[in-house]
């Protein structure tokens, strides 16, 4: 056996070792590139994920936790509920208009600012808010019920026009005033408000066009709302219609207020938002107060902003980046114009400065992605239609509209730049324990990658260390590449080393070998003459 192995090794040429090491380096390099791409896209190692999901069950590694499930289920229920609520995707209260803003961006840049996942969530929202079970009784509403499910934008727009045309044809219906009589009445049917909404959102190419369509939608939606309000107590069907008509009316008025804000009529927009919040105080799902805060900041009405925060920045209410960072901006405004980091390091922070720094730390703990956009360390993109609270998508949506307000307050960005990184010293392990909020949710990166377009580099917090397999493949690629280079430059020497190492592992007496025997064999194979000895050693 040893003779056969030695004969085989003697027949191998240096070219074989060059090809072997080169191929190994190429394969490990391809694995490294794929692992790095997979890690940048999904945030985990492909080899590690496959080994955990497929190999661990084969090795029986899933039965260790079964005995602890009954004991830990009750203790973890609260944390699980909190994790689910924090990973919930919310409708962006400041979302843009598809036709007038998102589509114009696509026409100019050729990039799609919205992902399929984001638009699919919007379609689900539209079906929830704008449809009910009795839509099949009215042809226009039945058409719109199908239109909200359409994936093709042109098909949705065509369906909206069809709904308006059908409604126009059937708008004059002859009804007998008296049974078996020839006296007839002409009755006008209401317009389809949801059709106008779809056209204003997706077909209008400017904000002014969208506003005109929303005003037509308001006229139709207000009539439907008043009729269903009178009939809401006549049964569950009428109650569902009234709930749908209420959602439609609130949506139209909110979007009209946003049109006024876009067109520079900020005071009119503030009045419309205040009236809407007074008329429908229980509909907090639309988060109209965030639109109001942004408009008040544009007017620099900081006292009114503080009054709104006093109502909504409550411990019992859900937080958002708009709430936390607006509160930090107001406190920073009181000290930012005179703040100097050198002076603060000498004399210490005053009470007002300490309050401002604590407010910034609170905001950064809630959403650590925002400061990089406010400080313009990362480029902004158009905000998505849905956001994940405490995630990168919420940070983009906030900074897109509020960066100008921070720049308007003198020294506010300087104070933020000097203090925001101190938050991370208070929470060194954000995934395990928080300071003022719950631990940072783990699911934000995955959801943000679904919500944000592929050309945007998603901000990840906390920064993940490189997986072991990426480091391993990088080391393997470098080692094999070095061997290939040495074998190409010194083929005979590397061939002798390779034969010597293989002989060591193949021989039954490899334990008795040492480094001296290896180098002796190298000298014998290369026929290196022995060094001449001095006269002293000869004697």
């Amino acid at each position: 056996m040893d003779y056969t192995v030695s004969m085989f090794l003697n027949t191998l040429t240096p070219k074989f070792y060059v090809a072997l090491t080169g191929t190994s380096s190429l394969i490990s390099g391809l694995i490294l590139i794929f692992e790095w791409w997979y890690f940048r896209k999904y945030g985990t190692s492909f080899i590690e994920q496959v080994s955990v999901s497929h190999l661990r069950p084969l090795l029986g590694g899933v039965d260790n936790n079964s005995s602890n499930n009954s004991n830990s289920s009750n203790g973890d229920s609260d944390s699980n509920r909190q994790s689910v609520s924090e990973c919930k995707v919310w409708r962006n209260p400041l979302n843009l208009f598809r036709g007038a803003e998102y589509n114009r961006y696509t026409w100019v840049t050729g990039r799609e600012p919205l992902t399929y996942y984001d638009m699919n969530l919007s379609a689900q929202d539209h079906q929830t808010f704008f449809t009910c079970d009795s839509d099949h009784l009215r042809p226009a509403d039945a058409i719109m019920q199908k239109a909200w499910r359409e994936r093709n934008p042109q098909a949705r727009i065509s369906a909206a026009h069809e709904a308006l045309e059908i409604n126009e044809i059937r708008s004059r219906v002859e009804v007998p005033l008296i049974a078996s009589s020839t006296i007839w009445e002409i009755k006008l049917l209401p317009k389809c408000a949801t059709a106008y909404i779809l056209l204003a959102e997706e077909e209008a190419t400017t904000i002014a066009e969208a506003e005109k369509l929303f005003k037509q939608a308001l006229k139709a939606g207000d009539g439907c709302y008043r009729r269903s309000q009178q009939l809401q107590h006549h049964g569950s069907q009428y109650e569902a219609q009234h709930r749908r008509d209420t959602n439609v009316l609130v949506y139209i008025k909110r979007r009209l207020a946003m049109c006024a804000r876009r067109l520079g009529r900020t005071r009119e927009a503030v009045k419309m938002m205040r009236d809407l919040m007074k008329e429908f105080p229980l509909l907090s799902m639309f988060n109209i107060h965030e639109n109001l805060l942004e408009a008040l900041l544009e007017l620099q009405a900081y006292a009114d902003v503080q009054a709104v925060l006093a109502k909504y920045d409550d411990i019992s209410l859900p937080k958002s980046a708009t709430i936390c960072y607006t509160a930090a901006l107001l406190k920073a405004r009181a000290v930012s114009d005179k703040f100097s980091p050198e002076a603060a390091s000498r004399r210490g922070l005053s009470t007002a400065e300490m309050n401002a720094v604590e407010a910034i730390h609170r905001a950064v703990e809630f959403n650590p992605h925002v400061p990089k956009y406010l400080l313009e360390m990362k480029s902004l993109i158009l905000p998505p239609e849905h956001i994940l609270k405490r995630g990168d998508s919420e940070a983009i949506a906030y900074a897109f509209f509020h960066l100008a307000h921070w720049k308007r307050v003198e020294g506010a960005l300087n104070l933020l730049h000097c203090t925001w990184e101190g938050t991370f010293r208070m929470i060194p392990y954000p995934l395990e324990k928080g300071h003022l909020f719950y631990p940072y949710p783990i699911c934000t990166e995955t959801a943000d990658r679904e919500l944000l377009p592929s050309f945007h580099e998603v901000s990840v917090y906390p920064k993940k260390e490189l997986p072991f397999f990426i480091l391993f493949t990088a080391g393997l690629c470098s080692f094999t590449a070095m061997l290939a280079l040495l074998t190409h430059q010194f083929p005979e020497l590397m061939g002798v080393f390779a034969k010597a190492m293989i002989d060591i592992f193949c021989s039954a007496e490899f334990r008795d070998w040492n480094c001296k025997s290896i180098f002796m064999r190298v000298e014998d194979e290369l026929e290196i003459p022995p060094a001449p000895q001095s006269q002293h050693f000869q004697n």
Side-chain angles (χ1 to χ4, degrees), residues 9-43:
L9 295 176
N10 290 330
T11 58
L12 297 179
T13 62
K15 293 183 179 180
F16 169 80
Y17 296 106
V18 173
L20 178 64
T21 53
T23 305
S24 302
S25 177
L26 176 62
I27 294 175
S28 57
L30 294 176
I31 295 175
L32 174 63
I33 294 173
F34 176 77
E35 277 283 297
W36 177 255
W37 170 83
Y38 195 88
F39 174 74
R40 291 295 299 272
K41 186 173 180 63
Y42 300 103

Side-chain angles (χ1 to χ4, degrees), residues 82-83 86 365 390 429-435 437-442:
Q82 179 63 27
S83 175
E86 288 195 345
E365 181 183 353
R390 308 185 73 178
Y429 304 102
L431 298 179
E432 301 174 7
K433 185 179 180 181
H435 180 61
F437 299 98
Y438 286 96
Y440 192 79
I442 307 175

Side-chain angles (χ1 to χ4, degrees), residues 301-533:
Y302 296 110
D304 294 335
V305 173
Q306 185 62 55
V308 176
L309 286 178
K311 181 178 180 181
Y312 289 96
D313 193 6
D314 187 81
I315 192 173
S316 60
L317 297 177
K319 297 294 181 292
S320 66
T322 301
I323 294 292
C324 296
Y325 277 90
T326 303
L329 177 61
L330 292 186
K331 292 188 177 181
R333 176 176 170 269
V335 299
S336 59
D337 56 338
K338 301 178 182 179
F339 177 78
S340 172
E342 294 80 8
S345 62
R346 289 195 307 268
R347 59 174 170 78
L349 296 175
S350 63
T351 303
E353 290 173 342
M354 184 63 70
N355 292 336
V357 172
E358 289 178 354
I360 290 175
H361 287 176
R362 171 178 178 261
V364 174
E365 181 183 353
F366 181 83
N367 194 317
H369 309 281
V370 174
K372 289 187 177 181
Y373 294 106
L374 292 180
L375 298 173
E376 298 181 272
M377 300 167 63
K378 286 197 67 175
S379 58
L380 275 173
I381 61 172
L382 294 185
E385 293 183 338
H386 289 80
I387 60 174
L388 183 70
K389 288 191 176 183
R390 308 185 73 178
D392 191 30
S393 53
E394 185 191 31
I396 293 172
Y398 172 79
F400 186 85
F401 291 98
H402 289 260
L403 177 59
H405 308 320
W406 279 81
K407 288 184 175 181
R408 190 177 294 119
V409 177
E410 183 182 357
L413 290 176
N414 179 44
L415 180 61
L416 177 67
H417 174 71
C418 297
T419 57
W420 73 281
E421 291 182 336
T423 310
F424 307 126
R425 290 193 292 269
M426 302 187 323
I427 44 173
Y429 304 102
L431 298 179
E432 301 174 7
K433 185 179 180 181
H435 180 61
L436 297 174
F437 299 98
Y438 286 96
Y440 192 79
I442 307 175
C443 60
T444 55
E445 181 186 357
T446 304
D448 281 333
R449 292 185 187 277
E450 295 289 336
L451 289 172
L452 299 174
S454 58
F455 58 83
H456 173 70
E457 183 179 356
V458 177
S459 177
V460 179
Y461 174 79
K463 284 292 184 180
K464 293 184 177 180
E465 296 181 357
L466 288 177
F468 165 76
F469 287 103
I470 290 184
L471 300 176
F472 175 76
T473 51
L476 180 62
C477 178
S478 303
F479 178 71
T480 52
M482 182 184 64
L483 287 181
L485 179 62
L486 291 176
T487 307
H488 179 72
Q489 294 293 330
F490 310 101
E492 296 182 358
L493 182 61
M494 294 302 295
V496 171
F497 268 109
K499 293 177 182 179
M501 295 303 297
I502 294 176
D503 283 346
I504 290 175
F505 287 103
C506 293
S507 176
E509 300 177 353
F510 71 94
R511 295 177 182 174
D512 297 336
W513 284 53
N514 51 32
C515 294
K516 182 178 179 180
S517 62
I518 297 176
F519 284 103
M520 289 178 62
R521 179 168 181 178
V522 170
E523 293 177 355
D524 294 337
E525 290 286 338
L526 294 179
E527 298 180 355
I528 300 175
Q533 297 180 350

Side-chain angles (χ1 to χ4, degrees), residues 234-249:
H234 291 187
S236 58
Q237 177 179 337
Y238 294 100
E239 184 179 356
Q241 288 182 5
H242 178 64
R243 185 164 55 251
R244 188 272 309 272
D245 294 336
T246 302
N247 292 335
V248 170
L249 184 63

